[in-house]
Amino acid sequence: MNINRRDTTLTALTLAISLALANAASAQSMQHGSMPMEQGAQTQTQDHSAHQAPTSKPAPAKKPATPAKKSEATIDHAAMGHAAPPAKAAEPAMQGMDHSQMGHGSPASTPAAPTAQAQSMQGMDHSQMGHGPAAPTQPRTPIPAVTDADRKAAIAPEHAHPVHDNSIKSYVLLNRLETWDADPGTGFGWEGQGWIGTDLNRVWLRSEGERTDGQTESADLEVLYGRSISTWWDVVAGVRHDFKPGASQNFAAIGVQGLAPMKFEVSATAYLGEGGQTAANVEAEYELLLTNRLILQPLVEVTAYGKNDPLRGIGSGLSTAEAGLRLRYEFTRKFAPYIGVVYERAFGNTADMRREHGESFEDTRLVIGLRTWF
């Protein structure tokens, strides 16, 4: 029995030594076989900082393997014919990779901050590097060469010349040159004005009159000096000579004329005549453009006297009033024929004097005429 026990003990001891030697050899072979895998893991854990991961976190520290796992790792699966398990050391390294820079995409990635290289490239002048269109060195429209005419125009004239805004000019307007069927005979009338001078100082001529059946019913001529007092107004002063009615008579005249608001042409003149006679005349007209060539011209004229003058058929107070409406067509600005209607009425003592002489104190007539200027 003792011999059997000794044999059993020796056998168990020998088996234990054999197992220990086998384990040692297996562990050594496992170490040599795992080197390539560890090198691959190291390759996978290379520094990817060049990819500029936006918010990469440091890989978590590798936990030490438990004794049970370490003993399992030392088993040579290749020697036992089993497939080697995948290396777990590469997982932490892969967690730190920037997959957005490798084309894999990241579901919650944030935009990467620009690198120093990208910032320096933003400030580059790409047009100087041939990347963009080059700035034109020549103007699109060539500058013409300077000619002799250009040089001559740049030199001031040797002789003096008048200033354009102070030169002497002239203007004559026949505002009304018309005829009508009168009783008896034919009537003819005119009204016009003209001036010569500068923009500030002018000599004015004004005339108005009527003829019926070859006889002059009324005619006057005014010679006035005009001075501009504002943009649209002149003050005039001078003399007036009445040829008809009755004997001729002279007046001193003073007044204003110009363009009122709403473009009404207004003339107002006061007169002081021989023998203490006084008079006043106010005329206003307006031009309404129906078209560029068809123009309607209303006109109103009122005359008053200070005292009666039976020799000339003039009574004191409001003497006469005339209202006309003329439609003209301007073939040119200087040639405009017209047709119209005119109403004239005498008032007060003037109307009474006309009744005494068997004349009508009011008259309505159709007129045809011409308006021209030069």
Side-chain angles (χ1 to χ4, degrees):
M1 294 298 290
N2 293 333
I3 293 172
N4 293 333
R5 290 178 180 176
R6 288 178 181 177
D7 293 338
T8 304
T9 302
L10 290 174
T11 301
L13 183 59
T14 301
L15 183 58
I17 291 172
S18 299
L19 291 174
L21 292 176
N23 290 333
S26 178
Q28 186 175 2
S29 65
M30 287 292 290
Q31 290 178 359
H32 290 287
S34 63
M35 287 179 63
M37 187 177 295
E38 292 176 358
Q39 291 178 358
Q42 292 178 1
T43 303
Q44 293 176 356
T45 57
Q46 288 178 352
D47 185 9
H48 294 275
S49 61
H51 297 286
Q52 292 296 323
T55 55
S56 60
K57 297 181 180 179
K62 188 176 182 181
K63 296 182 181 180
T66 59
K69 292 181 179 179
K70 187 180 292 184
S71 62
E72 291 177 3
T74 57
I75 299 174
D76 188 0
H77 294 275
M80 298 176 66
H82 301 162
K88 296 182 180 180
E91 294 178 1
M94 292 176 66
Q95 294 177 358
M97 291 182 182
D98 185 7
H99 296 275
S100 64
Q101 301 295 333
M102 299 173 68
H104 299 169
S106 177
S109 60
T110 56
T115 61
Q117 183 180 3
Q119 292 178 356
S120 63
M121 291 179 67
Q122 291 178 359
M124 291 181 181
D125 186 2
H126 294 276
S127 63
Q128 300 296 332
M129 300 173 66
H131 298 170
T137 57
Q138 296 294 334
R140 293 184 178 180
T141 303
I143 300 175
V146 179
T147 62
D148 294 339
D150 296 333
R151 297 185 183 95
K152 185 177 180 181
I155 301 175
E158 297 179 358
H159 59 280
H161 58 84
V163 180
H164 295 293
D165 61 353
N166 199 34
S167 59
I168 296 177
K169 305 179 182 65
S170 62
Y171 175 74
V172 176
L173 169 66
L174 289 176
N175 192 30
R176 300 195 300 272
L177 187 63
E178 59 193 25
T179 184
W180 63 91
D181 186 14
D183 186 20
T186 302
F188 176 77
W190 74 89
E191 188 272 328
Q193 60 184 1
W195 57 264
I196 182 172
T198 64
D199 291 340
L200 298 179
N201 302 285
R202 295 174 179 175
V203 175
W204 287 83
L205 297 175
R206 300 192 305 202
S207 179
E208 184 176 4
E210 292 182 4
R211 288 176 60 86
T212 304
D213 197 20
Q215 296 183 359
T216 302
E217 300 290 338
S218 63
D220 63 66
L221 175 65
E222 298 180 52
V223 180
L224 308 169
Y225 164 75
R227 171 73 180 182
S228 177
I229 57 174
S230 67
T231 305
W232 306 109
W233 291 94
D234 292 349
V235 172
V236 293
V239 296
R240 166 182 164 181
H241 180 76
D242 284 356
F243 299 95
K244 290 290 183 177
S248 62
Q249 188 178 13
N250 296 321
F251 291 86
I254 185 170
V256 295
Q257 63 183 14
L259 194 64
M262 305 302 295
K263 297 183 179 181
F264 283 90
E265 294 185 17
V266 178
S267 173
T269 311
Y271 303 93
L272 177 61
E274 299 174 350
Q277 178 66 284
T278 58
N281 177 269
V282 177
E283 182 178 336
E285 65 181 41
Y286 183 77
E287 293 188 349
L288 179 62
L289 274 69
L290 303 179
T291 67
N292 287 337
R293 296 184 179 274
L294 192 62
I295 301 172
L296 183 65
Q297 183 187 43
L299 181 144
V300 176
E301 183 178 3
V302 177
T303 305
Y305 288 91
K307 64 179 183 178
N308 293 329
D309 190 350
L311 296 178
R312 297 180 175 85
I314 297 172
S316 62
L318 179 60
S319 177
T320 58
E322 179 182 328
L325 193 63
R326 295 170 175 86
L327 180 66
R328 71 175 183 266
Y329 185 84
E330 295 184 344
F331 290 96
T332 66
R333 298 304 179 190
K334 294 183 178 182
F335 182 80
Y338 65 85
I339 59 173
V341 56
V342 177
Y343 175 77
E344 182 182 7
R345 178 184 172 87
F347 299 90
N349 294 332
T350 303
D352 295 338
M353 293 180 184
R354 290 187 179 182
R355 291 190 188 96
E356 291 176 359
H357 291 84
E359 298 177 359
S360 175
F361 65 92
E362 62 179 351
D363 184 26
T364 301
R365 56 184 181 265
L366 297 176
V367 299
I368 181 172
L370 176 69
R371 183 181 189 270
T372 183
W373 60 270
F374 52 88

